[in-house]
Amino acid sequence: MIYVENLHKYFGDLQVLKGIDQHIARGEKLAVIGPSGSGKSTFLRCLNMLEIPTKGKITVDGEEITQHGIDLNRIRQKMGMVFQQFNLFPHKTVMGNITMAPMTLKKLSKAEAEKKAEELLKRVGLLEKADAYPAQLSGGQKQRIAIARALAMEPEIMLFDEPTSALDPEMVGEVLEVMTDLAKAGMTMVVVTHEMGFAREVANRVLFMDGGHIVEEGTPEEIFEHPQNERTREFLRKVL
Ligand code: ADP
Ligand code: MG
């Protein structure tokens, strides 16, 4: 579904991605782990061209998205993204947040968009919050709404960048539960996370990044039980 070939990214003189090669198949659940500053977010943001790669090629559904002149809005509609900091529109209700993109980009009628939003709100367990504003929600609720909002565009793949890192500990579980349900429903997912339990139980493949490289990758069992690389071992010693 997604091919990444020889991906490099510089910010000025700073080389952040140093040649990433990956194939992400439909239905895969990829967990990306690694120390702060290793390039995890940049890698994720390159997948939907929120960051423009300096060099390399990314292909989605057979279409090269790194070529000049491509309609990035159309490509990004295939990919939902959930950030650490929710990024909900503060002046819109929950319903307004979820229906806005489907109405403007997919040209759904208000009634169609609201019907779909209600289904999604049920799915994340927050139907009763439809008329609330983001400021009236807890962090965990905001993140579940952010996931519902991304799903409203019916993406083929969901990208998560540390979706639970800004949450109070007691709210992490409710967000991981929604993500686990999504994984079970067959969604293709790439998740940058510090939640090693989630990576172990939900991911089918784990990438360990360090210094702009994918240093090691494998099944959760390979990475967590039998890490081969010393840097992977050192990282896991610190976080487990
Ligand atoms: P991670 O998500 O693994 O913590 P990032 O991909 O956010 O790592 O960052 C990798 C490196 O790139 C860091 O040194 C960071 O400071 C730098 N970086 C990230 N985004 C930018 C940017 N927009 N401009 C300049 N430097 C950046
Ligand atoms: Mg990051």
Side-chain angles (χ1 to χ4, degrees):
M1 179 176 193
I2 302 185
Y3 283 91
V4 177
E5 293 167 62
N6 198 28
L7 174 65
H8 289 253
K9 176 66 182 177
Y10 286 79
F11 290 110
D13 290 337
L14 180 67
Q15 189 176 12
V16 175
L17 298 179
K18 302 177 182 170
I20 305 264
D21 291 286
Q22 270 300 309
H23 169 216
I24 303 167
R26 197 172 294 277
E28 272 206 289
K29 295 97 189 48
L30 218 60
V32 183
I33 64 172
S36 183
S38 56
K40 305 181 298 297
S41 294
T42 305
F43 170 55
L44 200 68
R45 293 164 65 84
C46 281
L47 292 180
N48 66 358
M49 298 286 280
L50 280 180
E51 298 291 354
I52 306 300
T54 311
K55 191 170 113 184
K57 187 167 154 183
I58 302 174
T59 309
V60 177
D61 288 337
E63 188 175 7
E64 189 193 338
I65 65 169
T66 35
Q67 65 184 303
H68 285 292
I70 193 135
D71 179 0
L72 287 179
N73 287 326
R74 183 173 54 80
I75 302 298
R76 286 185 190 130
Q77 283 183 34
K78 296 184 182 189
M79 307 193 222
M81 181 139 184
V82 175
F83 303 88
Q84 188 174 335
Q85 293 298 344
F86 327 127
N87 295 356
L88 296 176
F89 306 113
H91 55 286
K92 283 191 183 286
T93 63
V94 161
M95 182 56 83
N97 266 276
I98 299 176
T99 55
M100 193 176 88
M103 285 170 65
T104 55
L105 299 174
K106 278 202 191 283
K107 310 292 180 205
L108 292 195
S109 71
K110 189 159 188 255
E112 287 168 329
E114 290 187 346
K115 181 164 176 283
K116 172 100 196 150
E118 280 173 13
E119 285 164 20
L120 289 166
L121 284 171
K122 270 187 215 150
R123 192 162 162 190
V124 301
L126 288 172
L127 186 56
E128 78 282 6
K129 296 293 183 187
D131 298 321
Y133 284 86
Q136 298 168 309
L137 303 175
S138 72
Q141 290 171 338
K142 280 184 216 175
Q143 198 58 301
R144 285 147 68 196
I145 297 299
I147 294 170
R149 182 178 62 174
L151 291 174
M153 289 298 288
E154 301 183 325
E156 293 177 23
I157 177 165
M158 286 284 287
L159 309 175
F160 293 87
D161 194 355
E162 298 195 27
T164 60
S165 294
L167 299 178
D168 290 334
E170 74 270 24
M171 293 172 187
V172 169
E174 67 194 60
V175 172
L176 293 181
E177 198 176 310
V178 167
M179 293 170 62
T180 303
D181 287 347
L182 197 56
K184 284 188 187 145
M187 179 62 79
T188 309
M189 294 164 69
V190 183
V191 185
V192 175
T193 187
H194 291 299
E195 293 295 328
M196 296 302 145
F198 178 84
R200 199 189 282 245
E201 279 147 41
V202 180
N204 68 293
R205 196 149 61 91
V206 180
L207 308 183
F208 171 69
M209 284 188 71
D210 195 13
H213 295 281
I214 293 172
V215 170
E216 186 164 357
E217 67 174 277
T219 62
E221 188 182 332
E222 285 165 345
I223 297 293
F224 292 112
E225 316 297 339
H226 313 286
Q228 300 296 308
N229 189 286
E230 180 49 34
R231 283 194 277 172
T232 317
R233 289 194 205 112
E234 191 194 334
F235 175 76
L236 292 173
R237 268 198 299 276
K238 285 180 191 154
V239 298
L240 288 181

